[in-house]
Amino acid sequence: MSAVLDHHDHAHDHEHHAPTGWRRWVFATNHKDIGTLYLLFAFTMLMVGGVLAMGIRAELYQPGLQLVNPELFNQLTTMHGLIMVFGAIMPAFVGFANWMIPLQIGAGDMAFARMNNFSFWLMIPAGLTLMLSFFMPGGAPAAGWTLYAPLTLQMGPSMDAGIFAMHLLGASSIMGSINIIVTILNMRAPGMTLMKMPMFCWTWLITAYLLIAVMPVLAGAITMTLTDRHFGTSFFNPAGGGDPVMYQHIFWFFGHPEVYIMILPAFGIVSHIIPAFSRKRLFGYASMVYATGSIAILSFVVWAHHMFTTGMPVTGQLFFMYSTMLIAIPTGVKVFNWIATMWKGSMTFETPMLFAVGFLFVFTMGGFTGLILSVAPIDIQLQDTYYVVAHFHYVLVAGSLYAMFAGFYYWCPKWTGVMYNESRGKIHFWWSLISFNVTFFPMHFLGLAGMPRRYADYPMQFADFNALASVGALFFGLAQVYFFIFVAIPAMRGIGPKAAASPWEGAEGLEWEVPSPAPFHTFENPPKLNAAANKVIG
């Protein structure tokens, strides 16, 4: 172990000072409890978003209008996107941050415990508001998850509910980010400098700065939409001298860093798992840190690659094309470092490593399709087709979601005190990997053949690939239900062999120095790192 605790009382009872009953969860200030709440909320929203996706895929199973009308179809696509991005992916990573950052840096808790509680509970009314908007007059928002004007100016009252929910979610994200930054900068164990910090903490530190920078931009865009709708302004209304394309610029100035907000913590998780199961240190720790920072900075200068078809001048197209291609360099550095870490390592393929390697393979495919879309003439042909849908699902589902599953399997013994069922974990992995590719790989060909996204109907030549994708989507959804019932619930109930403090042979870091499950109050006194900790942790 690279870090050994000099002073840590393992004798104190696990339930030391732990409240019980509903008060424990409603008034939770313990980072582990709040992390658990975030993860449960995120999984609930993942299931809700998945049900909406099933509605989309059921309608697209064959040509013609089968189950839903085009208006409801657009509501399903819009709410699927909003719920998955703001209700599932982002809260899940905040849950991981709450659980793991204090454990990894030797802190007793997050810096602002009550604000931590508030930032979680803001998400409940926001999530309910989004879901209940289906039952408002005119149905849910149907302008796409990007909420483009002028459609948003024409929506019913559910649009206002959606804007309110987005504000709540944004406030929650900003509070969570402030908490993470202060915790990491001020509460590290003595002797842990920034460049000895675990990679997951680094990726979240950078992500938190991104969130604080861009969430107010989204808040501005949707507030301008609100004033256009109700207070007579004309930011985006051409009849009053406004410009709908300005909305796209503002939204994507938020939206592109948002993409990296959803993938950088995944990079951090994978950067722990691959070294652990390769029995080697992470190759090129410093270059990983600099690459993460480079990705974050570059994410602010590429937003208009989403807008190549808006009549942008050629000079602008060239700038955004080349700056987008530039992001491939630090991303390539990361992929190279992960592969170099595995090179000549003593690798074993338990479930966390399977998901990490699956992430590496499928995320890289998604990255390459993104590189193809960065080329302006190609993007103009593929804009708003299923090729784009395939690309971002390869990055976000096989990227963010696979990394989350990898993180769950990796840290689950530390959270629950028991080992998950390995054979069930492997079933979950292979079932997810195969069904995911059956769902989204055909979409590349649909897009290349010209099928536009967000259409409820399509001509006969797209039928076969759509049927294949719909069947794959059903199986992918069932795989996540299997995971929850047969892997997550038994682990949460403590069913399974007892986990050692460090169940993985190659795992390093402070979190593996405390008992499993981690005591309710872990580091009542900051751990002192011994001289060996001068090497990189994680």
mmCIF file of all heavy atoms in Angstrom, residues 232-268:
data_model
loop_
_atom_site.group_PDB
_atom_site.id
_atom_site.type_symbol
_atom_site.label_atom_id
_atom_site.label_comp_id
_atom_site.label_asym_id
_atom_site.label_seq_id
_atom_site.Cartn_x
_atom_site.Cartn_y
_atom_site.Cartn_z
ATOM 1 N N GLY A 232 -42.687 39.965 -22.406
ATOM 2 C CA GLY A 232 -42.627 40.866 -23.541
ATOM 3 C C GLY A 232 -41.249 41.135 -24.113
ATOM 4 O O GLY A 232 -41.099 42.014 -24.962
ATOM 5 N N THR A 233 -40.235 40.414 -23.656
ATOM 6 C CA THR A 233 -38.903 40.598 -24.257
ATOM 7 C C THR A 233 -38.840 39.855 -25.595
ATOM 8 O O THR A 233 -39.719 39.054 -25.915
ATOM 9 C CB THR A 233 -37.797 40.070 -23.330
ATOM 10 O OG1 THR A 233 -38.060 38.685 -23.057
ATOM 11 C CG2 THR A 233 -37.751 40.847 -22.022
ATOM 12 N N SER A 234 -37.797 40.134 -26.366
ATOM 13 C CA SER A 234 -37.641 39.479 -27.681
ATOM 14 C C SER A 234 -36.202 39.035 -27.896
ATOM 15 O O SER A 234 -35.581 39.371 -28.896
ATOM 16 C CB SER A 234 -38.061 40.442 -28.802
ATOM 17 O OG SER A 234 -39.436 40.726 -28.725
ATOM 18 N N PHE A 235 -35.668 38.332 -26.926
ATOM 19 C CA PHE A 235 -34.308 37.823 -27.094
ATOM 20 C C PHE A 235 -34.230 36.878 -28.292
ATOM 21 O O PHE A 235 -33.306 36.949 -29.107
ATOM 22 C CB PHE A 235 -33.841 37.085 -25.837
ATOM 23 C CG PHE A 235 -33.636 37.973 -24.650
ATOM 24 C CD1 PHE A 235 -34.461 37.870 -23.536
ATOM 25 C CD2 PHE A 235 -32.622 38.913 -24.633
ATOM 26 C CE1 PHE A 235 -34.273 38.685 -22.435
ATOM 27 C CE2 PHE A 235 -32.421 39.734 -23.541
ATOM 28 C CZ PHE A 235 -33.250 39.623 -22.432
ATOM 29 N N PHE A 236 -35.206 35.962 -28.368
ATOM 30 C CA PHE A 236 -35.146 34.906 -29.383
ATOM 31 C C PHE A 236 -36.305 34.976 -30.362
ATOM 32 O O PHE A 236 -36.481 34.065 -31.171
ATOM 33 C CB PHE A 236 -35.127 33.525 -28.707
ATOM 34 C CG PHE A 236 -34.103 33.411 -27.597
ATOM 35 C CD1 PHE A 236 -34.469 32.925 -26.349
ATOM 36 C CD2 PHE A 236 -32.791 33.804 -27.806
ATOM 37 C CE1 PHE A 236 -33.532 32.829 -25.327
ATOM 38 C CE2 PHE A 236 -31.846 33.706 -26.785
ATOM 39 C CZ PHE A 236 -32.214 33.219 -25.547
ATOM 40 N N ASN A 237 -37.105 36.004 -30.270
ATOM 41 C CA ASN A 237 -38.295 36.117 -31.123
ATOM 42 C C ASN A 237 -38.009 37.071 -32.286
ATOM 43 O O ASN A 237 -37.898 38.284 -32.088
ATOM 44 C CB ASN A 237 -39.470 36.629 -30.291
ATOM 45 C CG ASN A 237 -40.769 36.620 -31.087
ATOM 46 O OD1 ASN A 237 -40.769 36.317 -32.288
ATOM 47 N ND2 ASN A 237 -41.863 36.965 -30.431
ATOM 48 N N PRO A 238 -37.893 36.548 -33.516
ATOM 49 C CA PRO A 238 -37.539 37.408 -34.659
ATOM 50 C C PRO A 238 -38.555 38.526 -34.888
ATOM 51 O O PRO A 238 -38.200 39.601 -35.366
ATOM 52 C CB PRO A 238 -37.520 36.440 -35.849
ATOM 53 C CG PRO A 238 -37.384 35.083 -35.246
ATOM 54 C CD PRO A 238 -38.033 35.143 -33.904
ATOM 55 N N ALA A 239 -39.824 38.303 -34.521
ATOM 56 C CA ALA A 239 -40.850 39.331 -34.738
ATOM 57 C C ALA A 239 -40.530 40.607 -33.963
ATOM 58 O O ALA A 239 -40.909 41.702 -34.379
ATOM 59 C CB ALA A 239 -42.219 38.798 -34.331
ATOM 60 N N GLY A 240 -39.803 40.460 -32.856
ATOM 61 C CA GLY A 240 -39.443 41.631 -32.053
ATOM 62 C C GLY A 240 -37.990 42.026 -32.225
ATOM 63 O O GLY A 240 -37.450 42.768 -31.410
ATOM 64 N N GLY A 241 -37.333 41.477 -33.253
ATOM 65 C CA GLY A 241 -35.918 41.787 -33.485
ATOM 66 C C GLY A 241 -34.964 40.824 -32.809
ATOM 67 O O GLY A 241 -33.756 41.055 -32.782
ATOM 68 N N GLY A 242 -35.490 39.724 -32.240
ATOM 69 C CA GLY A 242 -34.625 38.741 -31.586
ATOM 70 C C GLY A 242 -34.035 37.749 -32.579
ATOM 71 O O GLY A 242 -34.319 37.800 -33.780
ATOM 72 N N ASP A 243 -33.218 36.829 -32.059
ATOM 73 C CA ASP A 243 -32.490 35.897 -32.930
ATOM 74 C C ASP A 243 -32.495 34.495 -32.315
ATOM 75 O O ASP A 243 -31.831 34.263 -31.297
ATOM 76 C CB ASP A 243 -31.050 36.379 -33.098
ATOM 77 C CG ASP A 243 -30.250 35.496 -34.038
ATOM 78 O OD1 ASP A 243 -30.839 34.566 -34.636
ATOM 79 O OD2 ASP A 243 -29.038 35.716 -34.170
ATOM 80 N N PRO A 244 -33.240 33.559 -32.935
ATOM 81 C CA PRO A 244 -33.239 32.187 -32.384
ATOM 82 C C PRO A 244 -31.856 31.540 -32.387
ATOM 83 O O PRO A 244 -31.565 30.702 -31.536
ATOM 84 C CB PRO A 244 -34.184 31.431 -33.333
ATOM 85 C CG PRO A 244 -34.968 32.463 -34.055
ATOM 86 C CD PRO A 244 -34.128 33.694 -34.108
ATOM 87 N N VAL A 245 -30.982 31.944 -33.327
ATOM 88 C CA VAL A 245 -29.644 31.339 -33.376
ATOM 89 C C VAL A 245 -28.815 31.769 -32.158
ATOM 90 O O VAL A 245 -27.945 31.033 -31.703
ATOM 91 C CB VAL A 245 -28.934 31.690 -34.703
ATOM 92 C CG1 VAL A 245 -27.505 31.148 -34.719
ATOM 93 C CG2 VAL A 245 -29.716 31.103 -35.874
ATOM 94 N N MET A 246 -29.114 32.956 -31.610
ATOM 95 C CA MET A 246 -28.405 33.382 -30.400
ATOM 96 C C MET A 246 -28.648 32.385 -29.271
ATOM 97 O O MET A 246 -27.750 32.099 -28.472
ATOM 98 C CB MET A 246 -28.853 34.779 -29.978
ATOM 99 C CG MET A 246 -28.130 35.282 -28.735
ATOM 100 S SD MET A 246 -28.448 37.004 -28.359
ATOM 101 C CE MET A 246 -30.092 36.908 -27.653
ATOM 102 N N TYR A 247 -29.888 31.851 -29.201
ATOM 103 C CA TYR A 247 -30.159 30.838 -28.160
ATOM 104 C C TYR A 247 -29.214 29.664 -28.330
ATOM 105 O O TYR A 247 -28.664 29.137 -27.353
ATOM 106 C CB TYR A 247 -31.611 30.341 -28.227
ATOM 107 C CG TYR A 247 -31.846 29.245 -27.202
ATOM 108 C CD1 TYR A 247 -32.226 29.561 -25.912
ATOM 109 C CD2 TYR A 247 -31.603 27.905 -27.519
ATOM 110 C CE1 TYR A 247 -32.380 28.572 -24.945
ATOM 111 C CE2 TYR A 247 -31.762 26.912 -26.562
ATOM 112 C CZ TYR A 247 -32.146 27.243 -25.283
ATOM 113 O OH TYR A 247 -32.277 26.277 -24.334
ATOM 114 N N GLN A 248 -28.996 29.222 -29.574
ATOM 115 C CA GLN A 248 -28.121 28.071 -29.800
ATOM 116 C C GLN A 248 -26.707 28.364 -29.316
ATOM 117 O O GLN A 248 -26.060 27.509 -28.703
ATOM 118 C CB GLN A 248 -28.109 27.693 -31.280
ATOM 119 C CG GLN A 248 -29.461 27.227 -31.791
ATOM 120 C CD GLN A 248 -29.377 26.625 -33.184
ATOM 121 O OE1 GLN A 248 -28.355 26.048 -33.560
ATOM 122 N NE2 GLN A 248 -30.439 26.757 -33.956
ATOM 123 N N HIS A 249 -26.218 29.581 -29.590
ATOM 124 C CA HIS A 249 -24.869 29.933 -29.121
ATOM 125 C C HIS A 249 -24.786 29.879 -27.601
ATOM 126 O O HIS A 249 -23.852 29.308 -27.030
ATOM 127 C CB HIS A 249 -24.493 31.342 -29.607
ATOM 128 C CG HIS A 249 -24.002 31.374 -31.018
ATOM 129 N ND1 HIS A 249 -22.783 30.834 -31.394
ATOM 130 C CD2 HIS A 249 -24.554 31.869 -32.149
ATOM 131 C CE1 HIS A 249 -22.609 31.008 -32.696
ATOM 132 N NE2 HIS A 249 -23.670 31.628 -33.183
ATOM 133 N N ILE A 250 -25.784 30.467 -26.941
ATOM 134 C CA ILE A 250 -25.748 30.487 -25.469
ATOM 135 C C ILE A 250 -25.877 29.068 -24.936
ATOM 136 O O ILE A 250 -25.126 28.652 -24.040
ATOM 137 C CB ILE A 250 -26.870 31.379 -24.898
ATOM 138 C CG1 ILE A 250 -26.711 32.813 -25.410
ATOM 139 C CG2 ILE A 250 -26.850 31.353 -23.374
ATOM 140 C CD1 ILE A 250 -27.911 33.691 -25.120
ATOM 141 N N PHE A 251 -26.832 28.303 -25.492
ATOM 142 C CA PHE A 251 -27.045 26.944 -24.979
ATOM 143 C C PHE A 251 -25.799 26.087 -25.151
ATOM 144 O O PHE A 251 -25.385 25.391 -24.226
ATOM 145 C CB PHE A 251 -28.234 26.268 -25.679
ATOM 146 C CG PHE A 251 -28.432 24.856 -25.178
ATOM 147 C CD1 PHE A 251 -29.193 24.623 -24.052
ATOM 148 C CD2 PHE A 251 -27.812 23.772 -25.804
ATOM 149 C CE1 PHE A 251 -29.338 23.332 -23.548
ATOM 150 C CE2 PHE A 251 -27.951 22.481 -25.306
ATOM 151 C CZ PHE A 251 -28.726 22.265 -24.177
ATOM 152 N N TRP A 252 -25.183 26.132 -26.332
ATOM 153 C CA TRP A 252 -24.048 25.233 -26.562
ATOM 154 C C TRP A 252 -22.781 25.705 -25.863
ATOM 155 O O TRP A 252 -21.883 24.906 -25.611
ATOM 156 C CB TRP A 252 -23.827 24.997 -28.059
ATOM 157 C CG TRP A 252 -24.873 24.081 -28.614
ATOM 158 C CD1 TRP A 252 -25.822 24.380 -29.538
ATOM 159 C CD2 TRP A 252 -25.105 22.711 -28.235
ATOM 160 N NE1 TRP A 252 -26.637 23.290 -29.762
ATOM 161 C CE2 TRP A 252 -26.214 22.245 -28.971
ATOM 162 C CE3 TRP A 252 -24.494 21.835 -27.337
ATOM 163 C CZ2 TRP A 252 -26.710 20.955 -28.855
ATOM 164 C CZ3 TRP A 252 -24.990 20.540 -27.211
ATOM 165 C CH2 TRP A 252 -26.083 20.125 -27.956
ATOM 166 N N PHE A 253 -22.729 27.004 -25.513
ATOM 167 C CA PHE A 253 -21.605 27.428 -24.677
ATOM 168 C C PHE A 253 -21.691 26.738 -23.312
ATOM 169 O O PHE A 253 -20.665 26.433 -22.694
ATOM 170 C CB PHE A 253 -21.592 28.951 -24.500
ATOM 171 C CG PHE A 253 -20.332 29.442 -23.839
ATOM 172 C CD1 PHE A 253 -19.163 29.559 -24.561
ATOM 173 C CD2 PHE A 253 -20.318 29.759 -22.489
ATOM 174 C CE1 PHE A 253 -17.984 29.990 -23.948
ATOM 175 C CE2 PHE A 253 -19.158 30.183 -21.867
ATOM 176 C CZ PHE A 253 -17.982 30.309 -22.604
ATOM 177 N N PHE A 254 -22.922 26.471 -22.860
ATOM 178 C CA PHE A 254 -23.108 25.583 -21.709
ATOM 179 C C PHE A 254 -22.993 24.120 -22.118
ATOM 180 O O PHE A 254 -22.339 23.316 -21.451
ATOM 181 C CB PHE A 254 -24.494 25.818 -21.077
ATOM 182 C CG PHE A 254 -25.098 24.583 -20.465
ATOM 183 C CD1 PHE A 254 -24.715 24.158 -19.205
ATOM 184 C CD2 PHE A 254 -26.031 23.817 -21.167
ATOM 185 C CE1 PHE A 254 -25.251 22.997 -18.650
ATOM 186 C CE2 PHE A 254 -26.564 22.657 -20.620
ATOM 187 C CZ PHE A 254 -26.170 22.248 -19.349
ATOM 188 N N GLY A 255 -23.611 23.771 -23.237
ATOM 189 C CA GLY A 255 -23.848 22.362 -23.565
ATOM 190 C C GLY A 255 -22.593 21.581 -23.860
ATOM 191 O O GLY A 255 -22.517 20.396 -23.546
ATOM 192 N N HIS A 256 -21.578 22.249 -24.462
ATOM 193 C CA HIS A 256 -20.410 21.423 -24.758
ATOM 194 C C HIS A 256 -19.563 21.125 -23.525
ATOM 195 O O HIS A 256 -19.206 19.968 -23.301
ATOM 196 C CB HIS A 256 -19.556 21.960 -25.905
ATOM 197 C CG HIS A 256 -18.746 20.835 -26.479
ATOM 198 N ND1 HIS A 256 -19.293 19.906 -27.337
ATOM 199 C CD2 HIS A 256 -17.510 20.394 -26.209
ATOM 200 C CE1 HIS A 256 -18.399 18.959 -27.583
ATOM 201 N NE2 HIS A 256 -17.308 19.247 -26.921
ATOM 202 N N PRO A 257 -19.254 22.130 -22.677
ATOM 203 C CA PRO A 257 -18.611 21.751 -21.399
ATOM 204 C C PRO A 257 -19.449 20.727 -20.607
ATOM 205 O O PRO A 257 -18.890 19.852 -19.940
ATOM 206 C CB PRO A 257 -18.513 23.087 -20.656
ATOM 207 C CG PRO A 257 -18.433 24.101 -21.742
ATOM 208 C CD PRO A 257 -19.310 23.578 -22.844
ATOM 209 N N GLU A 258 -20.776 20.817 -20.729
ATOM 210 C CA GLU A 258 -21.653 19.852 -20.043
ATOM 211 C C GLU A 258 -21.344 18.414 -20.460
ATOM 212 O O GLU A 258 -21.386 17.493 -19.645
ATOM 213 C CB GLU A 258 -23.116 20.204 -20.352
ATOM 214 C CG GLU A 258 -24.127 19.145 -19.982
ATOM 215 C CD GLU A 258 -24.254 18.943 -18.497
ATOM 216 O OE1 GLU A 258 -23.797 19.792 -17.719
ATOM 217 O OE2 GLU A 258 -24.830 17.913 -18.107
ATOM 218 N N VAL A 259 -21.016 18.216 -21.730
ATOM 219 C CA VAL A 259 -20.655 16.882 -22.209
ATOM 220 C C VAL A 259 -19.450 16.362 -21.425
ATOM 221 O O VAL A 259 -19.401 15.191 -21.031
ATOM 222 C CB VAL A 259 -20.343 16.918 -23.721
ATOM 223 C CG1 VAL A 259 -19.803 15.582 -24.197
ATOM 224 C CG2 VAL A 259 -21.592 17.304 -24.512
ATOM 225 N N TYR A 260 -18.489 17.233 -21.171
ATOM 226 C CA TYR A 260 -17.283 16.808 -20.438
ATOM 227 C C TYR A 260 -17.553 16.696 -18.948
ATOM 228 O O TYR A 260 -16.906 15.898 -18.264
ATOM 229 C CB TYR A 260 -16.119 17.755 -20.760
ATOM 230 C CG TYR A 260 -15.744 17.608 -22.212
ATOM 231 C CD1 TYR A 260 -16.170 18.515 -23.168
ATOM 232 C CD2 TYR A 260 -15.044 16.483 -22.632
ATOM 233 C CE1 TYR A 260 -15.883 18.334 -24.511
ATOM 234 C CE2 TYR A 260 -14.755 16.292 -23.972
ATOM 235 C CZ TYR A 260 -15.181 17.210 -24.902
ATOM 236 O OH TYR A 260 -14.906 17.000 -26.226
ATOM 237 N N ILE A 261 -18.511 17.494 -18.445
ATOM 238 C CA ILE A 261 -18.941 17.324 -17.052
ATOM 239 C C ILE A 261 -19.444 15.900 -16.841
ATOM 240 O O ILE A 261 -19.263 15.293 -15.789
ATOM 241 C CB ILE A 261 -20.037 18.361 -16.714
ATOM 242 C CG1 ILE A 261 -19.415 19.743 -16.546
ATOM 243 C CG2 ILE A 261 -20.820 17.960 -15.458
ATOM 244 C CD1 ILE A 261 -20.412 20.891 -16.626
ATOM 245 N N MET A 262 -20.073 15.332 -17.884
ATOM 246 C CA MET A 262 -20.634 13.982 -17.758
ATOM 247 C C MET A 262 -19.619 12.879 -18.050
ATOM 248 O O MET A 262 -19.924 11.711 -17.844
ATOM 249 C CB MET A 262 -21.834 13.836 -18.698
ATOM 250 C CG MET A 262 -23.027 14.645 -18.263
ATOM 251 S SD MET A 262 -24.506 14.275 -19.213
ATOM 252 C CE MET A 262 -24.201 15.154 -20.722
ATOM 253 N N ILE A 263 -18.411 13.223 -18.527
ATOM 254 C CA ILE A 263 -17.459 12.146 -18.841
ATOM 255 C C ILE A 263 -16.182 12.223 -18.007
ATOM 256 O O ILE A 263 -15.546 11.194 -17.756
ATOM 257 C CB ILE A 263 -17.122 12.125 -20.364
ATOM 258 C CG1 ILE A 263 -16.543 10.766 -20.775
ATOM 259 C CG2 ILE A 263 -16.188 13.245 -20.737
ATOM 260 C CD1 ILE A 263 -17.506 9.608 -20.677
ATOM 261 N N LEU A 264 -15.793 13.425 -17.516
ATOM 262 C CA LEU A 264 -14.533 13.509 -16.763
ATOM 263 C C LEU A 264 -14.534 12.659 -15.490
ATOM 264 O O LEU A 264 -13.555 11.952 -15.222
ATOM 265 C CB LEU A 264 -14.201 14.972 -16.439
ATOM 266 C CG LEU A 264 -13.790 15.859 -17.621
ATOM 267 C CD1 LEU A 264 -13.448 17.258 -17.145
ATOM 268 C CD2 LEU A 264 -12.620 15.271 -18.403
ATOM 269 N N PRO A 265 -15.627 12.670 -14.677
ATOM 270 C CA PRO A 265 -15.603 11.768 -13.516
ATOM 271 C C PRO A 265 -15.497 10.298 -13.917
ATOM 272 O O PRO A 265 -14.907 9.488 -13.188
ATOM 273 C CB PRO A 265 -16.935 12.062 -12.812
ATOM 274 C CG PRO A 265 -17.318 13.426 -13.270
ATOM 275 C CD PRO A 265 -16.833 13.524 -14.688
ATOM 276 N N ALA A 266 -16.046 9.961 -15.091
ATOM 277 C CA ALA A 266 -15.905 8.580 -15.588
ATOM 278 C C ALA A 266 -14.439 8.271 -15.838
ATOM 279 O O ALA A 266 -13.949 7.171 -15.522
ATOM 280 C CB ALA A 266 -16.726 8.394 -16.865
ATOM 281 N N PHE A 267 -13.702 9.230 -16.415
ATOM 282 C CA PHE A 267 -12.261 9.039 -16.618
ATOM 283 C C PHE A 267 -11.564 8.768 -15.285
ATOM 284 O O PHE A 267 -10.650 7.945 -15.198
ATOM 285 C CB PHE A 267 -11.639 10.294 -17.245
ATOM 286 C CG PHE A 267 -12.044 10.544 -18.683
ATOM 287 C CD1 PHE A 267 -11.772 11.758 -19.289
ATOM 288 C CD2 PHE A 267 -12.680 9.573 -19.436
ATOM 289 C CE1 PHE A 267 -12.123 12.010 -20.612
ATOM 290 C CE2 PHE A 267 -13.047 9.808 -20.760
ATOM 291 C CZ PHE A 267 -12.762 11.025 -21.346
ATOM 292 N N GLY A 268 -12.003 9.497 -14.237
ATOM 293 C CA GLY A 268 -11.387 9.311 -12.923
ATOM 294 C C GLY A 268 -11.622 7.914 -12.377
ATOM 295 O O GLY A 268 -10.692 7.272 -11.864
#
